[in-house]
């Protein structure tokens, strides 16, 4: 009798242990996503001078600008901040899957340049390509992990596309205007951001966990750091690219 009681107590203890380890392991409760990770990407070294873009091949492009247009491969803002850097979770989400957001990502032809110069979106999210210029553009992404497409877009004609798989990042060009160059980064999760003109980024609603965070810049390459964010914690993480 006493032996049976002992076995029962042990069984309950083992069950309780396995239950508690299940809830604290991995990504935890998906509702528990109040952590955030903010920071700045900086540039150190001699600031590269952007070169002037000559749009004289298309008078409609020239007409769209009143000031000189310059290249955007390295864009520095205030306080040495580096703009257009994609900062994202590259490891630590396990096998969790995420639905794409309902609202489309927008990539615009404006002044014969891409706005934004670097776009980040989720896989299978709708991509609205908008031509706000008077001239006719072409959009031709060169993916290595997605279906390639190549389309002409006259002014005002809607164009909807998508990318099915993660890829960081897809170069985009216009076959009409050879100076036009942009990038689209595609993610299978929602934990990514593109730095603003001051190099700042904000990864919101991150589930608590240990992650590898990667920063990608089109010319300067990638950098990664490991970070642990606790439940409800607002953590700071900075990156510095040197040239
Ligand atoms: Cu174009």
């Amino acid at each position: 009798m006493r032996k049976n009681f002992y076995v029962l107590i042990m069984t309950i203890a083992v069950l309780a242990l396995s239950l508690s380890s299940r809830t604290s392991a991995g990504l935890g409760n998906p509702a528990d996503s109040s952590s955030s990770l903010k920071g700045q990407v900086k540039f150190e070294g001699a600031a590269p001078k952007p070169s002037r873009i000559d749009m004289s091949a298309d008078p409609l492009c020239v007409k769209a600008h009143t000031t000189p247009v310059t290249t955007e491969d390295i864009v520095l803002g205030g306080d040495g901040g580096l703009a257009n850097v994609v900062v994202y979770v590259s490891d630590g989400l396990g096998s969790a899957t995420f639905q794409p957001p309902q609202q489309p990502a927008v990539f615009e032809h404006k002044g014969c340049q891409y706005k934004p110069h670097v776009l980040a979106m989720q896989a299978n999210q709708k991509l609205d390509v908008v031509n706000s210029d008077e001239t006719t553009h072409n959009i031709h992404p060169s993916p290595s992990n997605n279906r390639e497409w190549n389309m002409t877009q006259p002014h005002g004609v809607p164009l909807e596309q998508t990318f099915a798989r993660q890829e960081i990042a897809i170069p985009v060009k216009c076959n009409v205007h050879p100076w036009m160059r942009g990038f689209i980064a595609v993610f299978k999760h929602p934990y990514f951001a593109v730095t603003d003109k001051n190099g700042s980024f904000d990864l919101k609603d991150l589930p608590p966990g240990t992650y590898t965070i990667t920063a990608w810049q089109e010319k300067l390459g990638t950098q990664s750091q490991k970070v642990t964010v606790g439940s409800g914690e607002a953590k700071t993480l900075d990156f510095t690219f040197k040239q």
Side-chain angles (χ1 to χ4, degrees):
M1 190 64 198
R2 193 179 256 183
K3 196 177 170 192
N4 281 347
F5 183 68
Y6 178 71
V7 167
L8 181 71
I9 292 293
M10 281 309 286
T11 309
I12 288 168
V14 167
L15 261 173
L17 255 176
S18 80
L19 273 173
S20 72
S21 70
R22 196 173 301 166
T23 48
S24 64
L27 274 178
N29 183 352
D32 188 9
S33 55
S34 52
S35 309
S36 71
L37 192 60
K38 278 184 193 192
Q40 194 193 21
V41 180
K42 289 189 183 189
F43 180 85
E44 216 177 87
K49 248 197 146 157
S51 17
R52 183 122 177 226
I53 296 175
D54 177 10
M55 294 188 176
S56 59
D58 188 337
L60 288 173
C61 295
V62 175
K63 217 178 87 179
H65 296 275
T66 51
T67 52
V69 191
T70 52
T71 49
E72 297 174 291
D73 51 352
I74 294 182
V75 177
L76 297 182
D79 197 20
L82 190 56
N84 296 330
V85 180
V86 185
V87 181
Y88 60 96
V89 171
S90 55
D91 192 41
L93 291 165
S95 56
T97 55
F98 302 89
Q99 289 299 311
Q102 290 291 312
Q103 72 273 27
V106 179
F107 201 51
E108 185 185 15
H109 296 93
K110 194 176 166 72
C112 300
Q113 287 185 295
Y114 291 116
K115 302 287 169 198
H117 176 65
V118 176
L119 174 75
M121 59 183 287
Q122 247 179 276
N124 295 312
Q125 182 180 6
K126 260 192 221 162
L127 173 66
D128 277 347
V129 183
V130 177
N131 180 4
S132 305
D133 288 330
E134 284 178 51
T135 194
T136 293
H137 286 289
N138 160 276
I139 176 161
H140 185 187
S142 320
S144 50
N145 193 33
N146 279 284
R147 180 177 56 86
E148 189 172 343
W149 43 273
N150 179 6
M151 305 184 84
T152 296
Q153 189 178 34
H155 171 77
V157 174
L159 174 50
E160 194 185 295
Q161 278 288 345
T162 192
F163 296 100
R165 284 179 290 277
Q166 175 156 300
E167 184 166 353
I168 304 138
I170 305 169
V172 181
K173 62 181 180 179
C174 167
N175 292 341
V176 181
H177 308 109
W179 63 82
M180 289 182 70
R181 197 164 167 77
F183 290 88
I184 300 178
V186 184
F187 293 93
K188 58 185 177 188
H189 61 69
Y191 306 110
F192 56 82
V194 181
T195 56
D196 65 14
K197 61 179 168 46
N198 298 316
S200 301
F201 68 90
D202 189 357
L203 293 174
K204 289 191 188 86
D205 300 331
L206 204 56
T210 297
Y211 301 105
T212 304
I213 307 293
T214 299
W216 173 93
Q217 205 280 346
E218 63 182 271
K219 206 170 178 192
L220 304 170
T222 59
Q223 280 186 22
S224 294
Q225 293 185 54
K226 229 174 177 178
V227 67
T228 298
V229 281
S231 180
E233 193 180 2
K235 211 149 192 173
T236 305
L237 185 71
D238 294 329
F239 290 89
T240 303
F241 281 91
K242 291 176 191 171
Q243 197 191 8

